[in-house]
Amino acid sequence: MTSGTGWITGDAEAFTRDFLPLFRPVPPARPGVCRICRSGPDNAGDTGGPRGICGSCERTTKNLYGHARHVIPISLTTTNAQLHDVLVRRRDPVGAGGRRRRADFLAATVAHFYDRHSRCLEGLAGGPFTLVATVPGNDPETPATAFHLMWQVVEKVPALARLWRPLLLEPDTAFAPVLAGRRSHRDAFLIPRADRLSAARVLLVDDLFVSGAHVQSAASALIEMGAEAVVALVIARLINPASRDGHGTGLWEESCQRPFSFDRCCVCDPAAHGAA
Ligand SMILES: [Zn+2]
Ligand SMILES: [Zn+2]
């Protein structure tokens, strides 16, 4: 299925077909759905806008140099879902055709999604991507493994691998507790000075989006070094179906009632255009 150069589109499609039950559709931005992370409750009442950002995104973006204005998750997940086990507990997924290697599954997922929705992502960036970056050290316990995992994933997707550069340095240990505490910091990820990114449009790829502390700190560093736009593509967006405000419950129930399809994303979903 994999070749030396990566996933051929048909292969990624066939591979992911066995795993469709692992994915849950992501709602399009609309009143009640954050326009950055496509999840948490918006606080339109506080911000006065019809499509506000959630309290979590407000916290993780406010003290940064800049941030990704759009985070596009391929799927929603909860901590009880198999997709979460694959991402966080490093389990190899089991689909209709049996157990497969985790890195292959993630690469096929990204390859299939990017093949279908690169235009959606480029539209948000204002043009074709000129660079691809991955967030290093997402797992405070094994930063090197996490770094290599996302690189292994992107490496198998030729459309992304050709634009990937090792731009972001692993966070200094001083920032580990900050990020682990789900707080962002503009200096958490540094970029070597030689790598000034004049007017680059960057696709920032990561595995799991929780608060966005990692993704948004990384986006801030990219923008501070000159990137014109950063759009984040994440495999899954974690939601809490037992949230006290009931918002996560509603989003998760809605998501479980709709079949997942690689043919639509939260940007091009026809429901996005029907929303008030
Ligand atoms: Zn948000
Ligand atoms: Zn799309």
Side-chain angles (χ1 to χ4, degrees):
M1 298 281 277
T2 43
S3 68
T5 51
W7 286 94
I8 298 153
T9 301
D11 282 354
E13 199 176 322
F15 191 115
T16 51
R17 200 176 297 139
D18 281 351
F19 290 94
L20 289 177
L22 271 68
F23 301 104
R24 292 284 179 269
V26 178
R30 59 169 196 239
V33 176
C34 173
R35 69 176 151 76
I36 294 180
C37 73
R38 308 305 206 258
S39 174
D42 75 14
N43 38 13
D46 301 337
T47 59
R51 293 185 179 185
I53 63 174
C54 69
S56 175
C57 284
E58 196 169 288
R59 279 190 297 281
T60 42
T61 60
K62 72 178 173 191
N63 293 319
L64 297 175
Y65 182 87
H67 64 269
R69 290 155 57 102
H70 298 280
V71 176
I72 305 304
I74 296 175
S75 177
L76 294 185
T77 190
T78 65
T79 53
N80 294 323
Q82 189 182 169
L83 186 57
H84 187 264
D85 279 353
V86 172
L87 294 171
V88 176
R89 301 194 182 95
R90 304 193 191 93
R91 303 254 166 86
D92 288 329
V94 181
R99 187 175 295 274
R100 304 299 293 268
R101 280 181 47 210
R102 177 174 174 248
D104 289 343
F105 161 77
L106 297 176
T109 300
V110 172
H112 191 182
F113 185 88
Y114 191 74
D115 179 64
R116 294 298 167 91
H117 303 288
S118 57
R119 293 284 161 81
C120 301
L121 298 164
E122 288 170 0
L124 300 173
F129 293 105
T130 58
L131 288 171
V132 169
T134 40
V135 182
N138 209 354
D139 181 343
E141 284 165 27
T142 51
T145 314
F147 173 78
H148 290 304
L149 175 72
M150 285 321 283
W151 159 234
Q152 277 170 23
V153 168
V154 166
E155 191 189 27
K156 291 175 195 283
V157 185
L160 301 180
R162 67 188 171 83
L163 297 175
W164 185 85
R165 277 166 57 197
L167 294 171
L168 297 153
L169 301 178
E170 280 180 38
D172 186 275
T173 49
F175 290 108
V178 176
L179 294 168
R182 311 236 171 274
R183 283 169 288 136
S184 59
H185 198 290
R186 62 184 278 180
D187 296 325
F189 295 95
L190 296 177
I191 295 174
R193 281 220 157 271
D195 281 325
R196 274 213 71 85
L197 314 171
S198 90
R201 284 184 295 271
V202 185
L203 182 70
L204 181 61
V205 185
D206 202 12
D207 50 5
L208 181 68
F209 186 97
V210 182
S211 67
H214 289 83
V215 161
Q216 295 297 12
S217 299
S220 181
L222 292 163
I223 293 166
E224 192 162 0
M225 284 305 272
E228 178 184 293
V230 177
V231 171
L233 170 63
V234 299
I235 292 168
R237 201 300 178 208
L238 181 70
I239 65 167
N240 176 11
S243 63
R244 262 171 300 166
D245 61 7
H247 185 81
T249 318
L251 273 186
W252 184 245
E253 279 172 4
E254 177 193 321
S255 181
C256 290
Q257 279 163 12
R258 304 181 65 198
F260 177 87
S261 169
F262 275 93
D263 291 339
R264 56 172 186 261
C265 74
C266 61
V267 182
C268 64
D269 190 328
H273 306 291

